[in-house]
Amino acid sequence: MSNLEKINYLISQKNFSEVELIVTKLLLNDSSNQELLLLLGGCFRSLGKIDKAKEIYFKIIKIDPTNTVSQRLIIDYLSTDELIQHRENLLKLSKLNLADFKRVELFFGLGIVNERLADYKNSSDYFTQANDLKRKLNPFNFNILESHFKDLLNVYGEISFDSNNLTNQKKIIFIVGLPRSGTSLVEAILGANNEIYNAGEIPNLKKIIRDEFIINGNLDIKKISKAKKTQDDKIYNKYVNLESLESTVEKIITDKNTENFKFLGLINIFFNNAKIINCIRDPFENYCSLYKTNFNSKALNWTNSKKEIKLYANYYFELIKFWKSKKLTNILDLNFEELLANPDETINKLINFCELEDKYKYKNFYKSKVSPIKTASANQVRGPIKKENIHKYKKFKNYFDFI
């Protein structure tokens, strides 16, 4: 296994401390390697080591000012005075003949820095330029995704989702919703309980469904029905024994792969001890947050189009409505704005629903050892819940229209 393969494996296991050791050792022989430095900065970011992350991004920028990834990522760690100077630096970069992939990062950075400086008009313009250019570089066929959703609804209409009533399973708390709907915050809150392992956005369920129930790209009713009739733990056992969970000793696991909203009925069949938290956020706030985020995953390239964000959300709401029509009793809707406005009441509702002990300081989750976070929310969940973050994007309503 090469060093890069080992690093990628350790990242998939959220073993960022080991990644830090390996990358630091490699940098002894190649201290200006920007790829390695970005990996190290990403480790510090995921681990909440803010000062070290900032130091690394500054080092990369000193080596190569046109490294627009670092120019974007460092914004999270700058003071107001530093933001003003950084905006000037980015504007100077914008006049250079940069490659388009670098301009995408640059435009997202200018969108973020102008938002932080309350210049919402320029911010929205740069976010639009970033998304338009990214879409040009990475074409996305939403029709394929639309067919996928329609296939799911057609197949699910012919299936009964009654639980198999299997026993001796760990409690799995599936945290679902649209991306940027508060799933990382909910997982961090639950992580204050030291009997819980925060697995993050693991692909386990999607992989198992693809391996067990898909034929020619579509869900197969016969395969699902056959698995249901066997009344055994095969699906559950495959889930907990994949690489991301095989060494987990905790009694409870959180899985915050937001895409799992597509599979709630299957969860109800094969995971007898599952709890499902459906995170809901004000639609405009949620859509705006998606549009302003430069996701790494190609599967999320629908977020580069305001129209496709709304289309995707419509299918999400349609599937959630379908699951509720099936009278699944293990789903809790958790509203992001309610969590920020009334954290004590909302967290109590969450803990009671998940049947967890209340002795842990869930509201002060950020004072606990927060698990490494790989998502765009890595910085946001390192501090206390802030009521002022309710409707934080309302000033973009004059510039963004999700129709």
Side-chain angles (χ1 to χ4, degrees):
M1 183 183 289
S2 68
N3 284 323
L4 186 58
E5 288 173 335
K6 185 174 183 180
I7 288 168
N8 287 330
Y9 171 75
L10 290 169
I11 289 173
S12 73
Q13 300 295 299
K14 296 173 63 175
N15 190 348
F16 290 102
S17 297
E18 185 66 22
V19 172
E20 180 184 343
L21 291 174
I22 294 172
V23 174
T24 301
K25 185 175 180 180
L26 292 172
L27 282 167
L28 292 175
N29 298 317
D30 191 2
S31 61
S32 296
N33 187 309
Q34 293 178 53
E35 183 179 7
L36 290 175
L37 287 168
L38 273 173
L39 280 170
L40 187 58
C43 284
F44 291 146
R45 183 174 179 272
S46 296
L47 293 167
K49 296 181 178 181
I50 294 173
D51 291 337
K52 288 189 174 183
K54 183 177 180 180
E55 180 184 341
I56 291 295
Y57 294 135
F58 267 133
K59 182 175 181 178
I60 296 171
I61 292 167
K62 187 175 181 180
I63 294 168
D64 178 12
T66 71
N67 189 311
T68 50
V69 174
S70 295
Q71 294 278 15
R72 173 177 63 84
L73 292 173
I74 201 170
I75 295 170
D76 285 339
Y77 311 112
L78 301 181
S79 66
T80 300
D81 288 341
E82 289 174 319
L83 286 170
I84 293 170
Q85 181 58 54
H86 194 65
R87 177 167 62 179
E88 294 304 311
N89 295 341
L90 296 183
L91 287 171
K92 289 177 183 177
L93 279 178
S94 71
K95 296 175 182 177
L96 301 180
N97 186 26
L98 298 176
D100 281 346
F101 74 92
K102 289 194 171 190
R103 296 189 78 80
V104 169
E105 296 284 354
L106 176 63
F107 290 150
F108 271 110
L110 280 164
I112 297 166
V113 76
N114 276 290
E115 179 188 359
R116 298 285 171 84
L117 294 171
D119 185 346
Y120 299 102
K121 174 63 172 67
N122 276 318
S123 175
S124 63
D125 287 344
Y126 282 117
F127 281 127
T128 299
Q129 289 183 65
N131 281 290
D132 288 349
L133 183 54
K134 188 174 181 182
R135 172 53 61 93
K136 178 183 175 182
L137 295 176
N138 303 283
F140 186 81
N141 188 348
F142 193 84
N143 291 334
I144 296 173
L145 192 54
E146 195 164 34
S147 296
H148 168 62
F149 278 119
K150 289 178 178 178
D151 172 63
L152 291 178
L153 287 163
N154 287 335
V155 172
Y156 288 154
E158 301 182 38
I159 299 174
S160 166
F161 296 101
D162 296 335
S163 173
N164 269 356
N165 293 318
L166 302 168
T167 57
N168 299 319
Q169 293 186 351
K170 286 186 176 183
K171 180 178 291 183
I172 315 291
I173 302 174
F174 292 93
I175 305 169
V176 303
L178 290 172
R180 309 296 294 160
S181 61
T183 55
S184 293
L185 176 57
V186 170
E187 183 174 54
I189 290 168
L190 293 172
N193 184 324
N194 59 25
E195 294 182 352
I196 292 179
Y197 174 69
N198 286 355
E201 294 187 2
I202 54 174
N204 295 32
L205 186 60
K206 187 177 180 179
K207 180 182 184 337
I208 291 166
I209 288 171
R210 184 176 62 242
D211 292 347
E212 297 290 328
F213 302 138
I214 299 289
I215 294 182
N216 297 324
N218 296 318
L219 275 175
D220 186 79
I221 297 172
K222 291 181 180 178
K223 280 182 166 288
I224 295 172
S225 299
K226 182 179 179 181
K228 185 178 178 183
K229 287 178 182 177
T230 58
Q231 295 282 326
D232 63 25
D233 284 318
K234 178 183 176 182
I235 302 300
Y236 165 82
N237 286 331
K238 288 192 73 171
Y239 176 89
V240 296
N241 287 301
L242 284 174
E243 283 182 349
S244 54
L245 294 178
E246 62 182 350
S247 60
T248 302
V249 297
E250 287 84 355
K251 300 176 182 178
I252 307 166
I253 297 166
T254 59
D255 175 343
K256 65 169 286 289
N257 189 321
T258 57
E259 259 195 297
N260 287 338
F261 76 84
K262 301 174 184 177
F263 313 122
L264 302 192
L266 300 179
I267 290 171
N268 198 62
I269 295 172
F270 300 110
F271 295 82
N272 188 58
N273 204 18
K275 298 290 185 180
I276 298 166
I277 311 301
N278 178 40
C279 295
I280 301 169
R281 187 175 184 179
D282 173 89
F284 179 84
E285 295 284 313
N286 204 157
Y287 305 163
C288 191
S289 184
L290 288 168
Y291 193 64
K292 297 190 313 89
T293 301
N294 186 17
F295 293 101
N296 292 323
S297 171
K298 291 181 179 179
L300 291 172
N301 280 357
W302 50 270
T303 62
N304 300 130
S305 161
K306 293 191 288 291
K307 178 182 177 182
E308 290 173 10
I309 287 173
K310 186 64 164 60
L311 287 171
Y312 187 97
N314 286 345
Y315 280 110
Y316 157 74
F317 288 122
E318 187 173 357
L319 267 168
I320 293 297
K321 182 179 179 181
F322 173 82
W323 295 129
K324 290 182 177 180
S325 75
K326 295 298 180 179
K327 310 298 182 185
L328 304 187
T329 59
N330 59 345
I331 303 176
L332 172 71
D333 287 340
L334 194 142
N335 184 280
F336 181 71
E337 283 75 26
E338 288 182 7
L339 176 57
L340 300 189
N342 302 296
D344 292 318
E345 180 181 340
T346 309
I347 291 173
N348 284 338
K349 182 168 67 173
L350 172 66
I351 300 312
N352 290 334
F353 174 79
C354 292
E355 299 177 302
L356 301 173
E357 292 185 85
D358 61 5
K359 65 181 181 181
Y360 299 98
K361 296 180 179 180
Y362 295 100
K363 187 178 176 182
N364 294 325
F365 63 92
Y366 59 95
K367 295 181 180 179
S368 308
K369 184 182 178 182
V370 179
S371 297
I373 299 166
K374 296 192 291 182
T375 68
S377 302
N379 294 316
Q380 289 95 319
V381 300
R382 297 289 176 183
I385 294 171
K386 297 179 180 179
K387 190 173 183 178
E388 56 266 32
N389 284 336
I390 299 174
H391 299 134
K392 65 185 293 187
Y393 301 136
K394 62 184 179 182
K395 292 186 179 179
F396 282 102
K397 285 193 173 183
N398 293 327
Y399 310 109
F400 292 147
D401 189 10
F402 297 92
I403 58 173

